[in-house]
Amino acid sequence: MSDKINSLYARKASGGVPISEEKIANKYFNVLKAVSETSLGCVYIADLKTRKLEFISENPLLFSGLSSAEVEKMGYNFFRKYTKKEDLEILRKVSSNGLKFFECLSPEEKKVHTITYDFHVKYANSVDVLVNHKITPIEICDQGEISKVVCIVSYSLSRTAGNIRIISNSSETYWTYNLFTGKWTEESKITLKIREIEIIRLYLQGLTIEEIAEQLFVSPSTIKFHRSKLFERIGVKNIIEAISYVISNNLI
């Protein structure tokens, strides 16, 4: 767990008695469990040194139908066994080239950057499930290396596997990794216009074009105009892809 959380909970508890490391971990895990239970996703903590999964919130649908206890027992072997064969290279690139990217960052910078990627998880008696993993370092050892990470698992909003990126809310740029060339490319984040944000938010509420136009006191053709301009700017073909892009890139 992060140094910040360690120091927060390790301070004197009631009566001035220090909290044990086990109690600190339990408090930390309970918070993650509560967060994951209020979303469609899942959370796990991985120790990069021991290659073990220390905590996994319950969501069998994102882990090939297995319980969190079963996945935790398997550790990294779960991904070797249940990742679609064609996508194993994606995980290898994330493990090697992705983590190497973090070597260029300071300890504090490491903790505010996230690597995100998509891959297929094999699911018994059903089609493979395309999932998204967002990994953020939470513990840095004395040598400056990442020792533990937290991962947010969710259903992917993309159509294909891959999509390896390094993102940070503290930066106006992000980095994308090309699986074919093996190179990182820096790109500028797109800033949505106020009207575009309003339209996307209303779409997320399930409103039709006519209903959105009524809410914004404009004509449906005006909504279509703004929508088409947004599609052009972010390189998508329809509103589903636009919503996926906006959410994946934390634009609203």
Side-chain angles (χ1 to χ4, degrees):
M1 67 191 68
S2 70
D3 296 335
K4 183 176 181 181
I5 293 177
N6 267 327
S7 62
L8 178 64
Y9 287 119
R11 291 173 185 170
K12 292 183 179 180
S14 58
V17 179
I19 302 175
S20 69
E21 186 175 340
E22 183 178 356
K23 288 184 178 179
I24 296 171
N26 287 337
K27 284 178 176 287
Y28 189 32
F29 293 161
N30 286 337
V31 170
L32 292 178
K33 182 179 179 181
V35 171
S36 63
E37 286 177 349
T38 60
S39 68
L40 293 175
C42 177
V43 181
Y44 72 78
I45 295 174
D47 189 316
L48 301 188
K49 300 298 182 182
T50 63
R51 314 292 285 181
K52 293 181 179 179
L53 304 180
E54 293 187 346
F55 168 85
I56 306 175
S57 60
E58 197 70 52
N59 194 330
L61 294 178
L62 291 171
F63 284 100
S64 302
L66 302 183
S67 68
S68 60
E70 291 173 312
V71 177
E72 187 171 344
K73 184 177 181 180
M74 294 180 69
Y76 275 41
N77 285 327
F78 166 81
F79 299 108
R80 298 188 186 97
K81 183 176 181 179
Y82 286 95
T83 297
K84 187 177 179 180
K85 184 177 180 181
E86 293 83 346
D87 291 354
L88 284 171
E89 183 62 19
I90 295 171
L91 301 191
R92 283 192 283 268
K93 292 297 184 181
V94 169
S95 179
S96 57
N97 297 52
L99 293 180
K100 281 183 179 178
F101 181 98
F102 281 86
E103 294 177 2
C104 305
L105 304 175
S106 69
E108 290 308 311
E109 287 176 326
K110 286 181 172 72
K111 294 179 182 179
V112 296
H113 282 74
T114 296
I115 182 167
T116 173
Y117 53 96
D118 303 296
F119 65 99
H120 290 90
V121 172
K122 292 184 290 187
Y123 204 95
N125 303 319
S126 183
V127 296
D128 297 333
V129 179
L130 185 60
V131 298
N132 173 263
H133 279 209
K134 289 183 174 67
I135 290 179
T136 306
I138 57 172
E139 188 175 282
I140 312 297
C141 65
D142 293 338
Q143 293 73 32
E145 297 178 350
I146 301 171
S147 54
K148 293 183 182 180
V149 298
V150 62
C151 180
I152 307 297
V153 186
S154 62
Y155 292 106
S156 173
L157 295 174
S158 301
R159 291 187 176 185
T160 58
N163 313 305
I164 304 173
R165 294 179 297 137
I166 300 284
I167 60 176
S168 172
N169 288 335
S170 64
S171 174
E172 295 302 317
T173 62
Y174 62 95
W175 293 81
T176 59
Y177 181 78
N178 190 309
L179 285 166
F180 300 103
T181 64
K183 295 181 179 180
W184 290 96
T185 302
E186 186 177 18
E187 299 183 26
S188 297
K189 289 182 179 178
I190 292 176
T191 301
L192 296 185
K193 299 175 182 178
I194 296 298
R195 184 62 85 190
E196 292 170 341
I197 293 175
E198 291 173 337
I199 291 173
I200 290 294
R201 283 175 175 169
L202 292 172
Y203 263 116
L204 287 171
Q205 293 176 24
L207 274 63
T208 64
I209 290 179
E210 289 72 20
E211 291 170 330
I212 293 173
E214 184 177 349
Q215 285 275 341
L216 299 180
F217 303 102
V218 296
S219 67
S221 60
T222 298
I223 299 300
K224 291 178 181 179
F225 171 79
H226 287 293
R227 190 183 63 173
S228 64
K229 287 298 182 182
L230 173 61
F231 291 175
E232 279 182 34
R233 291 209 300 131
I234 62 179
V236 301
K237 298 178 180 179
N238 55 58
I239 192 59
I240 299 298
E241 291 181 359
I243 291 173
S244 171
Y245 182 94
V246 168
I247 293 176
S248 298
N249 290 280
N250 298 323
L251 298 183
I252 59 172

